[in-house]
Amino acid sequence: MSEALTKELPDEWEVVPLTELLIQFETGTRPKGGVGKYTEGVPSIGAEHLNAEGGFKFEKIKFVPEEYATSMKRGHLQEGDILVVKDGATTAKTSLVRKSFPHKDAVINEHVFRCKVNKNIESAYIFYYLFSGKGQKEILSDFRGAAQGGISKGFTDKVNIPLAPHEQQKRIVAKIEELFSHIDAGIEALKKAKQLLKQYRQSVLKAAVTGELTKEWREANKDNIEPASQLLERILKERRQKWEEKQLEQFKAKGKMPKDGKWKEKYKEPVQVVNVAELEELPSTWEWGCLDSVIVDGPHNGLYLPKTKYGGGVPIIRIDDFQDGYIRAYDYLQKVNANKSEVKTYSLQIGDLVINRVNSPTHLGKCMVVKEGYEPCLFESNMMKAELSLNITSDYIDYYIQSTFGRSKLIRNAKWAVNQASINQQDVRSTEITLPPFEEQNEITQVVSEKFDVIDRLNNELDIQLCKAEKNRQSILASAFSGNL
């Protein structure tokens, strides 16, 4: 095999198994019981600390006690070490301990291989080969087990390094890093552009839900706009009517119709804004209200079913199936075996507002509006749904909660736990919302939709360019290790 590969390389190159180039090859260890309880000591590097660029991420660094690290007979990091993830979802991910590595003393755990090459070999040269698409493929040729399987120590026999003379190794590494620096600069610019688009998106949303976006439209149509105060009166009448209809249906189902109208006294008026004077000033035709005012039914928590119920039946939207403005395609939703009663109670209808009630702090309160093509469909227990008034544009409420401006009001009373937060039905009901005239709501959603289409197109183009940059990186590595760089 080595002879066949060598024929494709420059004459002075040779193909050498990685095993023959290593002077140290080992994994690390951790104290019995793990490292979760230690907040200081010697950094313990695991698979989660290797990043996709061949470096490291230390946002969630872990430690072992200094005395434990001192007692470790293997797994101590040195400059020039190559780390390879041994198992799990990121098996074969590779990083190089460079001179810039920020920790003077550090060790690895049992999920990472430490590879130390001969001093006459450029460790960066070997790293770049292992980091290349071909190198990764050779490492993974040793993979065994299911999704959480891994590679054995024998992977080093399956990785064949196209080895250039030492001086050429230095020049190749220097050239790779020169070209990579240009790619990195381009990638950084693309990422900044994506961040600017994200900020612009929020600027559009805030302008939309505070009236700035439609200022000129409002002035041009001031004689034809019904103020939101009148709209709110209609919504409240609809809200009460819906409640009465639902109560009568329940009476009818029990076979006991009311003899008088006293039952109507049980109607609960919607939550009111506590102090409008403390809220942001709005256009004169707008109103502050609470989300409860425009909800005619709900909010209701979703359906909990054990994992044994998943696999067939009715599609269900789960917490990871949607982001702001995005829902997973209907055909790709998981399905659950729900009974008729559960289907009736937890089915979503077109126009329903769905809100994440439990999630990480950054995603708490994510929302979506159910569109055509998602029927029948249920929603899981980590979410709430609310039926909105027919006199409100559901997309406007969707945009309002998507905005940082609106979401901050939704989650201000969130309950916090470790890495997770939650809101309840009362939090949703009491969320203050800006309420524009109905015609202006439609204008806002149209303008926002048009601007978002432009943002999405630009984002897609930036993603394409980022993919091209990564392909260019791999092309450089392929050229480098075929002797053509």
Side-chain angles (χ1 to χ4, degrees), residues 205-445:
L205 287 172
K206 184 172 183 181
V209 301
T210 57
E212 186 64 29
L213 188 66
T214 44
K215 185 176 181 180
E216 293 182 4
W217 179 93
R218 196 163 48 250
E219 180 62 28
N221 294 272
K222 60 184 178 181
D223 297 330
N224 303 312
I225 297 177
E226 175 197 47
S229 57
Q230 295 180 26
L231 170 63
L232 188 55
E233 289 178 7
R234 286 207 316 278
I235 291 173
L236 294 178
K237 287 180 181 178
E238 178 196 1
R239 185 182 187 276
R240 182 172 188 114
Q241 182 181 344
K242 282 275 190 179
W243 179 84
E244 291 181 359
E245 289 173 354
K246 187 175 181 180
Q247 297 304 305
L248 288 171
E249 286 178 5
Q250 292 176 359
F251 283 130
K252 186 176 180 180
K254 294 177 181 178
K256 294 181 180 181
M257 297 303 291
K259 296 178 181 180
D260 52 39
K262 287 186 177 181
W263 60 275
K264 295 182 181 180
E265 296 175 3
K266 294 183 179 181
Y267 174 73
K268 291 183 179 180
E269 296 291 342
V271 178
Q272 300 296 312
V273 177
V274 176
N275 195 339
V276 175
E278 295 181 358
L279 297 170
E280 293 83 350
E281 186 177 353
L282 299 176
S284 60
T285 52
W286 289 39
E287 289 287 325
W288 274 106
C290 284
L291 195 51
D292 197 25
S293 297
V294 300
I295 293 175
V296 296
D297 187 27
H300 302 293
N301 291 358
L303 171 66
Y304 170 77
L305 286 175
K307 290 183 178 180
T308 54
K309 291 286 187 178
Y310 279 75
V314 184
I316 186 168
I317 288 181
R318 299 166 299 130
I319 201 167
D320 294 325
D321 287 329
F322 71 93
Q323 304 290 337
D324 290 330
Y326 162 81
I327 309 176
R328 193 185 304 279
Y330 184 79
D331 291 342
Y332 291 95
L333 297 176
Q334 285 202 30
K335 295 181 179 180
V336 291
N337 292 300
N339 59 44
K340 289 183 179 180
S341 176
E342 290 166 337
V343 171
K344 181 179 180 181
T345 302
Y346 298 102
S347 284
L348 294 171
Q349 307 297 323
I350 295 173
D352 281 350
L353 177 69
V354 181
I355 299 173
N356 273 358
R357 67 180 187 87
V358 179
N359 211 321
S360 64
T362 54
H363 292 294
L364 181 66
K366 282 191 308 183
C367 66
M368 58 169 268
V369 169
V370 180
K371 305 292 185 182
E372 290 186 6
Y374 284 83
E375 294 177 288
C377 189
L378 311 180
F379 67 109
E380 73 164 358
S381 58
N382 287 323
M383 296 176 281
M384 287 182 270
K385 80 157 183 178
E387 180 186 348
L388 300 176
S389 166
L390 295 175
N391 289 291
I392 197 82
T393 305
S394 56
D395 283 341
Y396 173 78
I397 300 299
D398 186 16
Y399 289 144
Y400 182 83
I401 298 176
Q402 283 187 43
S403 71
T404 303
F405 179 84
R407 185 172 292 175
S408 64
K409 300 183 188 311
L410 173 67
I411 67 173
R412 69 177 181 273
N413 294 320
K415 291 76 184 170
W416 302 93
V418 179
N419 298 324
Q420 195 173 67
S422 64
I423 53 176
N424 58 34
Q425 295 175 5
Q426 185 59 27
D427 294 329
V428 173
R429 292 190 184 100
S430 61
T431 299
E432 299 98 346
I433 61 169
T434 58
L435 187 63
F438 187 73
E439 298 88 347
E440 194 166 353
Q441 293 174 37
N442 290 329
E443 177 67 16
I444 288 169
T445 56

Side-chain angles (χ1 to χ4, degrees), residues 45-328:
I45 307 302
E48 68 272 26
H49 300 117
L50 278 63
N51 67 25
E53 292 77 40
F56 297 87
K57 47 187 177 182
F58 298 109
E59 292 83 0
K60 296 180 180 179
I61 193 66
K62 297 176 181 178
F63 300 93
V64 296
E66 289 187 13
E67 57 271 26
Y68 181 84
T70 302
S71 71
M72 288 175 62
K73 296 181 179 180
R74 53 189 171 89
H76 293 266
L77 289 186
Q78 301 173 13
E79 181 183 336
D81 284 350
I82 301 166
L83 303 187
V84 180
V85 176
K86 176 175 175 280
D87 48 33
T90 59
T91 299
K93 183 180 283 188
T94 305
S95 290
L96 175 66
V97 179
R98 298 178 183 272
K99 191 173 183 179
S100 58
F101 190 79
H103 300 288
K104 181 180 178 181
D105 297 311
V107 295
I108 56 173
N109 66 24
E110 70 276 16
H111 297 291
V112 179
F113 284 122
R114 170 180 172 262
C115 305
K116 187 76 172 178
V117 300
N118 187 295
K119 64 180 181 179
N120 295 318
I121 304 294
E122 290 295 310
S123 59
Y125 180 90
I126 304 302
F127 158 71
Y128 280 122
Y129 182 76
L130 299 179
F131 184 74
S132 72
K134 189 174 181 181
Q136 288 286 291
K137 186 176 180 180
E138 289 184 2
I139 294 173
L140 289 170
S141 68
D142 188 65
F143 188 89
R144 72 281 308 277
Q148 294 301 312
I151 53 176
S152 69
K153 288 185 175 181
F155 89 85
T156 59
D157 295 322
K158 298 180 180 181
V159 176
N160 294 288
I161 307 292
L163 194 64
H166 192 216
E167 288 303 315
Q168 284 191 38
Q169 292 175 30
K170 292 180 180 179
R171 293 198 297 272
I172 288 170
V173 167
K175 190 63 177 178
I176 288 173
E177 294 184 344
E178 175 192 346
L179 295 174
F180 274 20
S181 67
H182 296 311
I183 292 176
D184 290 341
I187 288 175
E188 186 63 26
L190 291 170
K191 288 181 177 179
K192 284 182 179 179
K194 284 180 70 68
Q195 184 60 32
L196 287 173
L197 283 177
K198 186 176 181 180
Q199 294 171 6
Y200 175 60
R201 182 184 178 93
Q202 278 300 322
S203 297
V204 169
L205 287 172
K206 184 172 183 181
V209 301
T210 57
E212 186 64 29
L213 188 66
T214 44
K215 185 176 181 180
E216 293 182 4
W217 179 93
R218 196 163 48 250
E219 180 62 28
N221 294 272
K222 60 184 178 181
D223 297 330
N224 303 312
I225 297 177
E226 175 197 47
S229 57
Q230 295 180 26
L231 170 63
L232 188 55
E233 289 178 7
R234 286 207 316 278
I235 291 173
L236 294 178
K237 287 180 181 178
E238 178 196 1
R239 185 182 187 276
R240 182 172 188 114
Q241 182 181 344
K242 282 275 190 179
W243 179 84
E244 291 181 359
E245 289 173 354
K246 187 175 181 180
Q247 297 304 305
L248 288 171
E249 286 178 5
Q250 292 176 359
F251 283 130
K252 186 176 180 180
K254 294 177 181 178
K256 294 181 180 181
M257 297 303 291
K259 296 178 181 180
D260 52 39
K262 287 186 177 181
W263 60 275
K264 295 182 181 180
E265 296 175 3
K266 294 183 179 181
Y267 174 73
K268 291 183 179 180
E269 296 291 342
V271 178
Q272 300 296 312
V273 177
V274 176
N275 195 339
V276 175
E278 295 181 358
L279 297 170
E280 293 83 350
E281 186 177 353
L282 299 176
S284 60
T285 52
W286 289 39
E287 289 287 325
W288 274 106
C290 284
L291 195 51
D292 197 25
S293 297
V294 300
I295 293 175
V296 296
D297 187 27
H300 302 293
N301 291 358
L303 171 66
Y304 170 77
L305 286 175
K307 290 183 178 180
T308 54
K309 291 286 187 178
Y310 279 75
V314 184
I316 186 168
I317 288 181
R318 299 166 299 130
I319 201 167
D320 294 325
D321 287 329
F322 71 93
Q323 304 290 337
D324 290 330
Y326 162 81
I327 309 176
R328 193 185 304 279

